[in-house]
Amino acid sequence: MVKACRAARRALLAEGTVGREFLVVAMDEAGELVPRTLTPAQVRRHFPELDAESRETARPAALPADRRTRELIALAEAPHGSAALGREQATVLLRAVGAEAVPQVVERLAHARVKWPWAKLLAELQVSTEAVTGPLTRVAADRRADEADRAWAARALSRLGRTDLLLALADRLPEEVTAEGLAAPYTAFRDVGAHAPLDYRPLEQALDTRPGLHAAVLDAFRPGRSLCETRPTEADAALDGLNSRRPAVRCHALLVLEGVRLSRARRERFTAGLTRLCGEDSDATVREVAAGVARRAGR
């Protein structure tokens, strides 16, 4: 897009169709392409809000990690439109701080009126220590807390590898909250920030402990739900998932493998598994999902 905009402007100038003040700009929703198609002076003149945001984004990078974290937390909680750097951009920069941001985010989780953004951020920072999982467990267990706060704390525990703590709370949580928590490491939520590689074993073990949650977890993996983006390096784990004892795992593996670039040998494994699940699987939902995948693949 950037190259096309520059080429279009050069062509129009060469034809004499426009003057040198004429600009060709790639207008994406996030505004990320605008600075790439213009000079800094043009951005300052025509898009002052983007120039201010750029300067505000660059400023925290020069600060020590603790001060940077403190300022970014304040920006993430500032009213919409009150600062050049918005909440979403501040959160992105907080993720970039990494593990050094964790103590202040944990403190914010404890004191914030709205806790779910901080629970979510802790999962994305991927530091699984008692200092993190303890406060998350307390939020999830608090029956007086907002349901969104409890749900995101449950998801964070699961994504941090502590399904044991989540299952210990199962009798105090709504069933759908526990199920969504178990499903969290396998949904698009996993793709934001740092995360562990695809591994179905924690989910299988959790469903062995709490088989009554299986239907709700399976529902979270139905076609149309936002599932994690699986990398080629995770293909073997997904292929193994086609043989899982749990239909929810087989369903998830089918859907995520559909979009993975596979080697010839892995493609043959996938095709064999897909054929088997279409015709022989004991679960009607898995057979239906397999048939859909096969249809889209032209098989």
Side-chain angles (χ1 to χ4, degrees):
M1 288 298 298
V2 171
K3 289 179 179 178
C5 288
R6 290 173 178 170
R9 185 172 184 272
R10 285 196 300 268
L12 291 168
L13 286 170
E15 294 169 358
T17 305
V18 300
R20 296 204 62 82
E21 75 285 353
F22 186 83
L23 304 179
V24 180
V25 186
M27 298 288 289
D28 59 313
E29 184 177 354
E32 294 175 354
L33 293 178
V34 173
R36 296 176 61 185
T37 52
L38 301 177
T39 67
Q42 289 168 336
V43 173
R44 283 194 298 272
R45 178 179 178 186
H46 299 285
F47 296 90
E49 70 285 358
L50 291 181
D51 179 62
E53 180 183 309
S54 176
R55 285 186 280 107
E56 191 63 24
T57 299
R59 187 183 62 79
L63 300 174
D66 58 342
R67 184 179 168 191
R68 188 190 330 161
T69 301
R70 187 163 55 252
E71 291 201 12
L72 290 171
I73 286 175
L75 288 169
E77 290 200 318
H80 285 292
S82 63
L85 195 65
R87 293 181 182 179
E88 184 175 339
Q89 297 96 323
T91 302
V92 169
L93 293 176
L94 276 169
R95 282 199 296 269
V97 175
E100 290 180 282
V102 167
Q104 290 191 54
V105 176
V106 168
E107 182 181 1
R108 199 66 217 116
L109 173 73
H111 296 101
R113 184 179 61 83
V114 179
K115 298 181 183 297
W116 72 262
W118 306 112
K120 181 174 181 290
L121 180 57
L122 286 170
E124 294 162 355
L125 290 170
Q126 202 63 191
V127 174
S128 185
T129 62
E130 173 59 29
V132 174
T133 58
L136 287 170
T137 300
R138 288 191 286 275
V139 172
D142 187 357
R143 289 192 172 100
R144 298 169 299 175
D146 183 84
E147 185 169 331
D149 294 340
R150 300 183 75 193
W152 278 105
R155 294 182 184 113
L157 286 170
S158 185
R159 187 169 156 184
L160 291 172
R162 297 306 306 269
T163 52
D164 58 322
L165 296 177
L166 175 58
L167 290 179
L169 297 172
D171 292 333
R172 304 181 62 179
L173 290 169
E175 180 181 278
E176 64 272 16
V177 169
T178 306
E180 288 174 6
L182 293 176
Y186 310 94
T187 67
F189 171 43
R190 184 198 80 147
D191 298 333
V192 182
H195 62 79
L198 182 67
D199 184 357
Y200 290 122
R201 289 172 297 180
L203 178 59
E204 290 174 327
Q205 292 164 5
L207 292 176
D208 287 345
T209 303
R210 291 274 183 167
L213 294 170
H214 182 272
V217 173
L218 176 59
D219 187 63
F221 295 157
R222 288 181 182 274
R225 300 298 181 95
S226 295
L227 303 181
C228 61
E229 183 177 341
T230 305
R231 297 180 174 88
T233 54
E234 299 174 306
D236 287 335
L239 287 166
D240 289 343
L242 298 177
N243 300 312
S244 172
R245 61 189 178 273
R246 291 295 175 184
V249 173
R250 301 197 296 274
C251 179
H252 185 277
L254 278 166
L255 291 169
V256 297
L257 280 166
E258 187 176 9
V260 180
R261 186 185 297 275
L262 299 173
S263 65
R264 177 177 294 182
R266 291 186 176 111
R267 175 62 58 184
E268 290 174 354
R269 283 183 63 191
F270 179 44
T271 300
L274 179 60
T275 302
R276 174 175 52 81
L277 295 178
C278 277
E280 302 175 14
D281 198 88
S282 60
D283 187 88
T285 299
V286 175
R287 293 196 302 272
E288 179 184 345
V289 169
V293 172
R295 185 170 58 252
R296 291 189 291 274
R299 294 188 176 88

